[in-house]
Amino acid sequence: MTTLPQISTEIIELTVTAGQPVRIAPQLGREPAGWLVIWSDEPVQFHALPTVAGELSLMPSTSARVRLVVL
């Protein structure tokens, strides 16, 4: 049976700019399993970039205000 990832952070509010990477350091004590955008004021996608252990580095496809959680 597959276990689904759980939400591991409070809501993180960000203003992102297209083509500018965003670094998130949730300090989970483990590698993040991913992220989930729960709200945005523009259609936006994020692509993961290489990063140091325990952090997320995300590249947004467009400029937007977003709320996300880390899994």
Side-chain angles (χ1 to χ4, degrees):
M1 182 173 185
T2 303
T3 303
L4 296 175
Q6 300 293 312
I7 295 173
S8 298
T9 64
E10 297 292 322
I11 294 170
I12 300 168
E13 295 190 32
L14 302 168
T15 299
V16 299
T17 303
Q20 297 293 315
V22 176
R23 186 178 71 92
I24 301 171
Q27 302 196 5
L28 302 175
R30 61 170 174 78
E31 290 296 311
W35 66 92
L36 178 65
V37 176
I38 58 172
W39 176 87
S40 67
D41 68 348
E42 295 289 336
V44 61
Q45 294 179 346
F46 289 92
H47 294 93
L49 301 172
T51 189
V52 299
E55 295 183 358
L56 285 172
S57 185
L58 305 174
M59 181 68 73
S61 62
T62 191
S63 298
R65 291 183 312 143
V66 299
R67 294 180 189 136
L68 59 81
V69 292
V70 177
L71 305 175

